[in-house]
Amino acid sequence: MKLIVSNHKMNLTKDEILSYIKEISEIKSSNKLIFCPSYPYLSFFDGKNYFVGSQNVSDQKMGAYTGEVSASQLRSLGIQYAIIGHSERRNILNESFELIHKKVKICLENNIIPILCIGEKKEEINQKEEILTAELKSAFDDIGDDRKNIVIAYEPIWSIGTGLVPTKEEIEETLSWIKKYIKDNYQVDCKTLYGGSVNEENISNLKEIQSIDGYLIGGASLKLNKLKQMIDILEV
Ligand code: 13P
């Protein structure tokens, strides 16, 4: 079973999200669908035939943190997943390795599965392993047995929203390298997703990648016709 994770980012109005929800409630899939809308819409999603995730979480437990949402609040809404360390948050909002580590930890403490995003910038392609190692190490170090639940999403930053996708062979090499790194250093088998310009045209090609456990999809998952096509392609 593959994970199909839809990251809405900061898109869709209330009316748009309500009609989106109506349509997804009819979707049947043998794969695991996970929708990550903006915070205000989370409780609109009933999660009957899919799972619900947040796009972020506070690193703090509770209290005077205006504008933040805690892992326990998310859990109390039935949220099961959270995207952590997305490159947009690392780069635009300057989230540090330390902050991301704390967010991974607090998710696990609250039974929320962190979808940890890692990936290199275009100019870092030649140092990809160093970049990914630093991102993985800072997130995984000092996490207890629960580390087996962390899902890793490899999203090359140069691929996000650009239509540029690494070759199948490159993605296979990177995902299997990530799995091996985690197995060798933390003795667990982790799930690895690919994200970055996944759409209805390239998903049949991406489907052939052996180490792929799922997809983290932005833009193409906002359009229901595209999302449904992708779900259908992954079904067969
Ligand atoms: P796109 O699918 O729009 O390239 O976005 C990928 C992404 O950042 C998902 O988290």
Side-chain angles (χ1 to χ4, degrees), residues 17-58:
I17 207 85
L18 292 177
S19 72
Y20 188 99
I21 291 171
K22 210 165 160 212
E23 291 212 36
I24 60 166
S25 66
E26 323 252 292
I27 295 178
K28 289 191 177 58
S29 171
S30 55
N31 291 308
K32 199 177 239 190
L33 305 177
I34 305 166
F35 291 95
C36 306
S38 298
Y39 277 146
Y41 305 144
L42 281 170
S43 55
F44 296 169
F45 287 69
D46 67 16
K48 285 208 175 108
N49 54 329
Y50 52 80
F51 294 82
V52 191
S54 69
Q55 297 175 18
N56 185 28
V57 68
S58 169

Side-chain angles (χ1 to χ4, degrees), residues 1 3 15 27 30-31 51 55 65 68 74-75 111 134 137 143 154 170 176 183 199 219 227 232:
M1 194 196 325
L3 270 61
D15 287 347
I27 295 178
S30 55
N31 291 308
F51 294 82
Q55 297 175 18
Y65 299 97
E68 292 291 276
L74 292 170
R75 190 60 225 182
N111 286 323
K137 190 170 159 35
I143 300 275
Y154 169 58
E170 285 164 343
S176 53
K183 184 77 176 174
N199 61 34
L227 177 71
D232 286 348

Side-chain angles (χ1 to χ4, degrees), residues 118-185:
I118 61 170
E120 80 288 355
K121 295 183 181 143
K122 182 123 203 116
E123 64 273 20
E124 294 169 338
I125 287 183
N126 292 332
Q127 305 121 53
K128 184 166 70 178
E129 285 189 10
E130 281 134 85
I131 302 285
L132 301 186
T133 301
E135 290 177 332
L136 289 170
K137 190 170 159 35
S138 55
F140 271 77
D141 273 2
D142 304 321
I143 300 275
D145 285 348
D146 283 351
R147 62 186 183 275
K148 62 180 181 297
N149 296 325
I150 302 173
V151 172
I152 299 168
Y154 169 58
E155 297 204 306
I157 297 168
W158 50 274
S159 189
I160 297 176
T162 58
L164 300 172
V165 178
T167 64
K168 255 188 328 206
E169 292 71 25
E170 285 164 343
I171 298 175
E172 172 59 40
E173 195 180 75
T174 307
L175 296 186
S176 53
W177 179 87
I178 294 169
K179 283 185 193 291
K180 184 169 182 318
Y181 178 86
I182 295 297
K183 184 77 176 174
D184 290 351
N185 290 281

Side-chain angles (χ1 to χ4, degrees), residues 7 9 86 155 159-161 196-198 216-219:
N7 177 7
K9 308 194 180 183
H86 192 282
E155 297 204 306
S159 189
I160 297 176
S197 295
V198 176
L216 179 51
I217 315 172

